[in-house]
Amino acid sequence: MAFQINTNIPSLQAQEYLRVNSEFQGKTINRVTSGLRIVSSGDDAAGLAIANGFRSDLAVLTQGVRNANDGISTLQIADGGINNISKLLDRARSLATQSASGTFSGDRSVLNSEFQSVIAEIDRQAQSIGLDANGAFAKNLSVFIGGGRANNGITSTANGSVGVDLSRSLVDAKNLGLRGVQSVGISGTDIGAGSSTTSVQQILNNTTNSGSQVQQGYTDFFISGPGFAGADKVKVSVNLSGVTDTGTLVTAINAALESAGTSGTQAATALANANIQATINTDSTGKKQLAFTSSSTSFQVQAGDRTANALLGNFTSGSTGKNLTQTVTAGAVTTAGTGTTAQNIIVRIQGGGLASPVDLQVNSGATTAQALTSLSSLIANNASLQAAGISASGLTAVGGTITFTSARGEALSVSALGDNQNRLGLGSYLNATASGTSFEYTSITAAAAFTAAAKTNTFDLSIGGGTNQTFSVAILGTDTIAIATQKINDVLAANASARSAGIYASNDGTSITIQSSNSTAFRLNATTAAGSESIGFGTAGAAAGSSFASVAADSTNVAFFNNGGGSAVSTSFVFNPIVNGQDVQTVTLSAVDSAGATQSLAVQLQNNGTARNARTIDEAIATINSKLQQSNNDTLNKIVAVKDYDGTNYKIRFQSTLQNFNVSIGAAGTGSAAGLGTSGQQGVVYASEAVTGGSTADISTADLASAAVLSLADAVATLGRAQAVVGRGQNQLNYAVNLAQSQLSNVAAAESRIRDADLASEAANLSKAQILLQAGVAALAQANSAPQAVLALLRG
């Protein structure tokens, strides 16, 4: 055994153990006194990080539970308010039922006064609980509670939130169906008995008005709405027998509305379901206007004659309604045509409210007189023309002029094809073949072979029914058919309209063909006589072909009475007919349904080989409405496209009883502003705007009270659905609170296991540390005294 003085190894070892035991005792005392296992990050860095995460989750969950309880309180307030509104509906229903009784002999105005105050109170209470239009809680409420986890693309924030969508659970009078939409006659006019010039009786006694009636003693209104718009608008023919004042007028119109809804057609059924009623609106000055109301459907009213126009306040002077007649006059019916027609003559009438063009075919082989007789019969027996109020005169004698008339004042156009001698005065545009039955074509081959002769050839093209484009081609006597074809292509390429339509010339070595590369339909009219031209399209009879394009000017007398108050409407869009095959426009309509899901429909407007559905504004409206109804979507079925007129241009606008909807107007292929909207409007999404006002349920008459009873029954059901959403929201939040409380307990326990000290174990450790420390001190004293033994050796 060696003895050292300079280095006391046992002492050093004893010191180290004493230090370790001292630190162990210090940590143990900290744990016992703090109750924590992790006092500093050095105790358990990984555990501390996990525990801190749990502590943060606890803070979120604690506040989340408060959030949920606040939400439950808010929904309970709404629930209580809805219970009270339910009682108001009960009272309103009692009043309506009393007024609807035929045996009631009291004053219905007293009942109606209380009824209106009940409706007003419903609106007030709905606003108080935040469930009216634009109310504080009329939206999708997201209550963040916490405790969520990210998974499958769903964030932890989204998973930790509870959504209560109250945006479709509004309980004000409008959303309960007690305030509807209303179409009112021209503001400031007066058809009441107090008017000195324009009372109902004076309007009906006016012979100019009565002379415009299709059936004497009846005046016609046309009603448009979802499922009964465009060419399917419903004619309401009102029997004026016994009508002497505003009261009897309303009764007669409502009887006619009821009758029109029972004709058995789909449009009539849609009208019946709209429950449109005629009423009298009294303005702030006491003047009375005819009005139409509906609690559930957006609609439009149009006059069908001067009597109806006057009743709607659209006067020209005195009690005379504005004239709706719109005419198109052809050129003179010629006697120059010899023999019989060489081609089928096709007369096209479009616009004027027609859902699609009407083509009338006069077969070849007819004399001029026979052609007139045939055309007269075709017009008189065409159901679409008769329904649109379109007729023709001047068809009985050669030498006169043909006049086409629209009785409703809507612009129409008339054009023809195949009348190469221009017998009817409608132009000499060529048929593609002698027996052709199509009004337009995408390709036409010259009937005669090309001849190399020094002549100037002129011809017109009507592209997609548009205005005439005139072309002139000078052919030299030395030109081959290939050179002539190139010259034609040069003049076509220099014309922007022909270029956009993809129109070009080709040949087969003998004859020249003019065609479109993108399925644009066109008509060709050779304005050089056959003996004076060389490209083969020249007319055989007339000295020179005649181009005729007739479009009746917009009538300033027509008026479309759109429902104003109580509906959502889009801006009005101008419409330019689509003529080029490459111009395809997509119009997208979208709205949020009762479940909060977005419903949308894209409608393509085009004029090519795929579809020709946007040649006129009427055809575009018919296309859009047809697609809306064919969607069989309850939300989109409530949107309707209607024709509007601003005094200068016809336009398309969309309207609905939905709270809001969007209209997206796509750009056409060539960017030529074809279709809906100006170039500035295309490529933009337009949100509808709510129009203030509208009609209110009324029980001032037995008939109105009966309608109110039905409306109130629907209101009770609607209120029940809204309350169910509120109740479901309360349950959702209660379930969320239960989960959050469970998470709070379990997360707190998890944190405790990591962060808190086990005091039983720490007490044992403290005793152990004290013993070890005392033993270490004694051992260190012994180790420090060990070198003293060396002195004994030195003393020896």
Side-chain angles (χ1 to χ4, degrees):
M1 177 177 180
F3 292 93
Q4 297 97 2
I5 296 175
N6 291 330
T7 303
N8 190 343
I9 300 301
S11 175
L12 293 174
Q13 290 175 335
Q15 290 176 49
E16 175 61 20
Y17 286 128
L18 186 61
R19 182 190 65 78
V20 170
N21 290 331
S22 178
E23 288 182 358
F24 177 62
Q25 184 187 45
K27 287 183 178 180
T28 303
I29 291 172
N30 284 339
R31 288 172 179 171
V32 171
T33 55
S34 68
L36 299 175
R37 184 181 69 85
I38 304 174
V39 178
S40 65
S41 59
D43 294 337
D44 184 354
L48 181 62
I50 296 172
N52 285 342
F54 284 150
R55 185 174 63 189
S56 179
D57 289 343
L58 286 172
V60 171
L61 285 168
T62 300
Q63 183 58 50
V65 170
R66 295 193 193 103
N67 292 346
N69 286 327
D70 290 344
I72 291 171
S73 298
T74 298
L75 292 178
Q76 286 173 341
I77 292 171
D79 195 21
I82 291 175
N83 282 333
N84 207 44
I85 291 174
S86 178
K87 295 175 183 177
L88 289 169
L89 287 178
D90 293 343
R91 179 55 183 163
R93 211 169 176 189
S94 297
L95 293 168
T97 302
Q98 184 179 7
S99 181
S101 174
T103 60
F104 179 75
S105 58
D107 187 354
R108 285 189 170 87
S109 65
V110 175
L111 296 179
N112 190 50
S113 177
E114 182 182 353
F115 182 85
Q116 297 303 325
S117 68
V118 170
I119 301 299
E121 181 61 15
I122 289 174
D123 278 336
R124 190 192 70 79
Q125 294 198 13
Q127 181 179 355
S128 296
I129 62 176
L131 289 180
D132 60 332
N134 301 316
F137 303 114
K139 56 188 175 183
N140 190 348
L141 303 176
S142 180
V143 181
F144 182 66
I145 299 173
R149 293 289 181 267
N151 190 25
N152 295 328
I154 300 174
T155 65
S156 59
T157 301
N159 183 246
S161 301
V162 173
V164 181
D165 189 2
L166 299 179
S167 63
R168 316 302 296 180
S169 300
L170 310 187
V171 294
D172 58 336
K174 179 181 182 300
N175 286 280
L176 292 177
L178 301 178
R179 292 192 190 279
V181 296
Q182 186 176 43
S183 173
V184 183
I186 294 177
S187 176
T189 59
D190 187 7
I191 63 170
S195 172
S196 60
T197 56
T198 57
S199 68
V200 169
Q201 191 64 64
Q202 289 166 322
I203 290 171
L204 300 185
N205 289 340
N206 186 304
T207 56
T208 302
N209 291 338
S210 60
S212 69
Q213 296 167 7
V214 176
Q215 181 180 356
Q216 284 301 301
Y218 289 78
T219 187
D220 296 333
F221 295 91
F222 290 89
I223 315 291
S224 302
F228 53 102
D232 291 326
K233 67 181 71 170
V234 178
K235 181 172 77 170
V236 178
S237 192
V238 181
N239 186 348
L240 299 175
S241 176
V243 175
T244 58
D245 54 22
T246 54
T248 52
L249 173 65
V250 165
T251 300
I253 294 176
N254 285 332
L257 281 165
E258 183 177 357
S259 177
T262 60
S263 66
T265 66
Q266 288 185 338
T269 301
L271 173 68
N273 293 338
N275 193 30
I276 298 172
Q277 295 284 314
T279 63
I280 294 297
N281 177 70
T282 302
D283 63 22
S284 58
T285 64
K287 295 180 179 180
K288 298 181 182 296
Q289 299 90 35
L290 177 61
F292 294 82
T293 65
S294 172
S295 62
S296 60
T297 303
S298 184
F299 63 93
Q300 181 188 70
V301 179
Q302 180 183 351
D305 52 47
R306 297 181 84 152
T307 302
N309 223 3
L311 291 172
L312 289 169
N314 200 16
F315 300 104
T316 181
S317 64
S319 61
T320 304
K322 287 185 176 180
N323 182 24
L324 294 175
T325 302
Q326 184 74 275
T327 61
V328 170
T329 302
V333 178
T334 181
T335 57
T338 59
T340 59
T341 55
Q343 298 181 329
N344 289 338
I345 298 175
I346 301 170
V347 176
R348 169 167 288 185
I349 302 173
Q350 60 185 0
L354 294 168
S356 60
V358 172
D359 292 340
L360 306 172
Q361 179 177 312
V362 178
N363 293 330
S364 60
T367 65
T368 302
Q370 289 171 336
L372 290 173
T373 301
S374 176
L375 182 59
S376 177
S377 176
L378 290 169
I379 292 173
N381 292 293
N382 187 280
S384 296
L385 294 178
Q386 296 307 305
I390 296 174
S391 60
S393 59
L395 294 166
T396 58
V398 175
T401 56
I402 305 173
T403 298
F404 298 85
T405 302
S406 168
R408 298 183 200 161
E410 297 184 55
L412 73 155
S413 67
V414 182
S415 44
L417 182 80
D419 187 4
N420 65 332
Q421 294 186 4
N422 195 23
R423 298 169 186 264
L424 303 180
L426 294 171
S428 57
Y429 280 97
L430 298 176
N431 205 327
T433 62
S435 57
T437 58
S438 297
F439 178 77
E440 295 172 305
Y441 31 76
T442 58
S443 174
I444 182 172
T445 300
F450 169 77
T451 57
K455 294 179 179 179
T456 298
N457 302 260
T458 60
F459 61 92
D460 291 343
L461 292 178
S462 173
I463 300 171
T467 57
N468 299 321
Q469 303 293 319
T470 299
F471 302 89
S472 179
V473 182
I475 303 297
L476 302 177
T478 57
D479 287 347
T480 64
I481 190 172
I483 294 175
T485 301
Q486 184 58 52
K487 286 184 174 181
I488 295 173
N489 281 328
D490 289 342
V491 298
L492 289 171
N495 182 279
S497 297
R499 192 166 58 247
S500 297
I503 294 178
Y504 68 99
S506 63
N507 69 80
D508 60 4
T510 302
S511 301
I512 293 175
T513 296
I514 294 180
Q515 56 198 318
S516 169
S517 62
N518 57 27
S519 297
T520 297
F522 64 92
R523 292 176 297 147
L524 183 146
N525 181 41
T527 53
T528 306
S532 302
E533 61 94 53
S534 56
I535 62 177
F537 290 103
T539 56
S546 173
S547 294
F548 176 84
S550 65
V551 178
D554 294 339
S555 171
T556 57
N557 296 334
V558 68
F560 298 99
F561 294 88
N562 298 296
N563 63 272
S567 62
V569 301
S570 72
T571 187
S572 292
F573 302 99
V574 296
F575 180 81
N576 295 302
I578 294 179
V579 297
N580 295 327
Q582 64 181 337
D583 287 345
V584 179
Q585 183 182 48
T586 300
V587 178
T588 304
L589 297 135
S590 60
V592 178
D593 64 17
S594 58
T598 299
Q599 306 294 325
S600 64
L601 173 71
V603 180
Q604 285 195 327
L605 300 178
Q606 54 200 319
N607 185 2
N608 52 37
T610 301
R612 301 194 187 279
N613 61 17
R615 291 167 289 191
T616 66
I617 187 172
D618 300 285
E619 190 172 41
I621 288 173
T623 298
I624 293 169
N625 285 327
S626 176
K627 295 295 184 183
L628 283 168
Q629 293 304 307
Q630 289 173 7
S631 70
N632 292 321
N633 183 289
D634 290 340
T635 299
L636 298 176
N637 284 169
K638 294 179 181 178
I639 302 174
V640 62
V642 296
K643 187 188 289 188
D644 203 7
Y645 186 63
D646 63 3
T648 302
N649 297 307
Y650 282 110
K651 296 183 177 182
I652 296 177
R653 88 166 188 172
F654 300 87
Q655 55 191 52
S656 176
T657 51
L658 293 171
Q659 195 168 346
N660 51 67
F661 61 90
N662 291 327
V663 182
S664 173
I665 306 297
T670 58
S672 57
L676 267 73
T678 62
S679 57
Q681 290 177 318
Q682 292 183 354
V684 179
V685 178
Y686 291 87
S688 64
E689 295 183 355
V691 182
T692 58
S695 65
T696 305
D698 191 288
I699 61 170
S700 59
T701 68
D703 288 340
L704 290 174
S706 296
V709 169
L710 296 176
S711 297
L712 285 163
D714 292 338
V716 170
T718 301
L719 186 71
R721 289 191 292 270
Q723 192 163 21
V725 173
V726 172
R728 185 173 69 237
Q730 291 181 65
N731 290 337
Q732 282 182 273
L733 291 175
N734 276 317
Y735 298 146
V737 168
N738 292 340
L739 175 61
Q741 292 287 13
S742 174
Q743 289 175 310
L744 272 171
S745 300
N746 292 320
V747 171
E751 184 198 11
S752 175
R753 293 187 187 98
I754 297 172
R755 192 188 298 274
D756 292 348
D758 181 352
L759 291 181
S761 173
E762 297 305 328
N765 287 336
L766 182 60
S767 298
K768 173 183 174 181
Q770 290 174 338
I771 294 171
L772 288 173
L773 191 61
Q774 291 173 5
V777 170
L780 179 59
Q782 291 294 326
N784 288 337
S785 64
Q788 297 294 327
V790 177
L791 295 175
L793 294 175
L794 295 175
R795 284 195 299 268

